[in-house]
Amino acid sequence: MKTRIFIAGHSGMVGSALVREALQLGTYEPVLATRRELDLTDLRAVLHFLEFQRPDCVIFAAAKVGGILSNSTFPADFLYENLTLATNIVRASFLVGIKRLLFLGSSCIYPKFAPQPIPESALLSGTLEETNEAYAIAKIAGLKLCAAYRKQHGVLFHSAMPTNLYGPGDNYHPDHSHVIPGLIHRFHSAKERGLKEVAIWGTGTPMREFLYVDDLASACFHLLTLDNPADWINVGFGSDVSIYDLSLAIAKAVGYSGQITLDSTKPDGTPRKLLDTSLLRSTGWQPQTPLEDGLKLAYADYQKALHSGRLRTI
Ligand code: GFB
C-alpha cells in the first residue's frame, strides 16, 4: 500500500518538486489541496481537512518566501504568515494523530556571523541577519515547535534546513524574487532588448550556496526514510559562489554578453551562509545537480513559462 503524504504548499516551487519526486518514487500517494480548497492560515480548516483525508505523514512546504528586498520590506507579512502556517499545520497534524511530519525551514535561521560551513549546532548562538530576521524567527519557531512536540508527545516531527534554492516554478518578480530568478529575468530581458549593461544588486562579494530544487525534494524523501533523524538537518550543495561569479554563470546560461555593473544602493545581506552538510551526507544522501546544469534547466523552465504565459511574478 502507498504512503499517503500531505504536501502542504504543493503549488510552489518546492511543493511541486516534492510532488514530482513522490510520483517518481511510486511508493507515495500525494494528498493535495489548492489554496482555494484549503486556507492553511485557518486552523479549523486545516484540522477538518486532515481529519477527512487522514494522510500517513505530512511535508510542510507552505511558506511566504521572497528575496532580500521582499523580506526586508514586508517583515510583518513574513513573520505573521509563516508563524501562522507553522502553528496551524504542526498543531493540526498532532491533533489528528499524524505520527510523522517534515518541516522545511531555511539556512537564514543561523546567525549572521556563524562559523562557516554552518553546523546545525550554530542555531541561536548569535544575532540574525537583519534583512531576513522576520522570516528566520518564524522558521526557528516552527523548527522548535516540531522538536517540542517530538519531545513532549513522542511524535516524529522533524525539520530540514535547505540552503538557497532555485529551479522550475520559481518566482521571477523583478524586485521580490531571489537572486537566481531575478537575474535570469533581467539578463533575458536585456538580451531581448539588446541592452549593453545589466546591474546586479549590492557589491557582488557575498557568498551564497545554491541547491537545485529537485535535489532538495530527493533529500526530503530520503529524510523520511530515517528511523531517528536529528531534530533539524542541513540540506545544502556543499560549496558556494560569489554573487558576481554567479551573475557571470547566469549570463552565460542565458546567452547575455553585455557588461555587468553593480547597484550599490541595494543590500548585500549576510556575507556568507554555506551549510555544513556532513550530518546529512553521513546518512547516505548527496546532491546530483551541479550549478551550471541547474542554471540551464532553470532557464529552460523560465523560457517555457514565459512563452506559455504562466510565468510566476508575484
Ligand atoms: O537571493 P537573495 O535575495 O537572498 O539575494 P538572500 C542573494 C544575494 O544576491 C544578495 C544579491 O547579496 C543580493 O544583494 N543580488 C544581486 C540580488 N542581484 C540580485 C537581484 O537581482 N535580486 C536579488 N534578490 N538579489 C534570502 C532571505 O536572503 O535567502 C530569505 O531573504 C531566504 O529569507 C532566502 O532565507 C533563502 O540569500 O540574501
Side-chain angles (χ1 to χ4, degrees), residues 42-122:
D42 177 347
L43 178 60
R44 279 170 165 272
V46 181
L47 256 176
H48 185 72
F49 175 80
L50 291 177
E51 262 163 5
F52 181 72
Q53 290 288 347
R54 297 260 157 210
D56 301 301
C57 60
V58 171
I59 296 193
F60 187 123
K64 176 171 179 58
V65 293
I68 190 165
L69 212 57
S70 183
N71 267 269
S72 48
T73 314
F74 309 110
D77 296 353
F78 276 84
L79 182 52
Y80 174 75
E81 269 189 50
N82 287 304
L83 213 46
T84 308
L85 293 171
T87 54
N88 284 357
I89 298 172
V90 172
R91 177 80 179 151
S93 297
F94 169 70
L95 289 176
V96 304
I98 287 164
K99 297 283 184 285
R100 187 155 197 160
L101 178 148
L102 178 64
F103 174 80
L104 295 187
S106 161
S107 59
C108 71
I109 60 162
Y110 293 113
K112 176 168 185 165
F113 298 113
Q116 306 286 328
I118 312 173
E120 283 84 355
S121 59

Side-chain angles (χ1 to χ4, degrees), residues 11-14 16 20 65-67 164-173 176-182 184 210-211 213 298 301-302 305 310-314:
S11 54
M13 176 178 75
V14 171
S16 32
R20 284 197 294 281
V65 293
N164 287 30
L165 301 168
Y166 69 103
D170 218 334
N171 174 7
Y172 293 94
H173 190 284
H176 299 159
S177 66
H178 288 106
V179 59
I180 290 183
I184 285 180
F210 296 99
L211 185 71
V213 70
D301 180 72
Y302 169 84
R310 55 166 188 86
L311 198 68
R312 273 184 65 213
T313 53
I314 47 163

Side-chain angles (χ1 to χ4, degrees), residues 93-252:
S93 297
F94 169 70
L95 289 176
V96 304
I98 287 164
K99 297 283 184 285
R100 187 155 197 160
L101 178 148
L102 178 64
F103 174 80
L104 295 187
S106 161
S107 59
C108 71
I109 60 162
Y110 293 113
K112 176 168 185 165
F113 298 113
Q116 306 286 328
I118 312 173
E120 283 84 355
S121 59
L123 185 68
L124 296 176
S125 63
T127 310
L128 295 165
E129 155 63 29
E130 64 186 19
T131 52
N132 55 36
E133 190 190 58
Y135 183 69
I137 285 175
K139 288 298 182 183
I140 293 170
L143 168 176
K144 287 289 181 185
L145 191 62
C146 290
Y149 270 98
R150 184 177 185 177
K151 186 174 176 193
Q152 188 179 332
H153 297 288
V155 287
L156 195 40
F157 289 7
H158 56 116
S159 304
M161 294 301 128
T163 192
N164 287 30
L165 301 168
Y166 69 103
D170 218 334
N171 174 7
Y172 293 94
H173 190 284
D175 296 327
H176 299 159
S177 66
H178 288 106
V179 59
I180 290 183
L183 291 185
I184 285 180
H185 183 61
R186 198 141 355 114
F187 284 130
H188 176 84
S189 310
K191 184 178 79 170
E192 296 291 286
R193 289 191 275 152
L195 299 185
K196 290 204 170 58
E197 57 177 55
V198 164
I200 63 167
W201 298 354
T203 60
T205 57
M207 301 292 290
R208 290 291 185 274
E209 180 187 23
F210 296 99
L211 185 71
Y212 190 62
V213 70
D214 286 21
D215 281 342
L216 170 71
S218 99
C220 289
F221 283 96
H222 168 76
L223 286 171
L224 286 174
T225 66
L226 302 182
D227 289 336
N228 190 22
D231 280 335
W232 66 98
I233 297 189
N234 291 341
V235 185
F237 181 68
S239 61
D240 56 1
V241 60
S242 76
I243 292 301
Y244 186 73
D245 286 347
L246 172 77
S247 71
L248 294 176
I250 298 175
K252 188 173 169 209

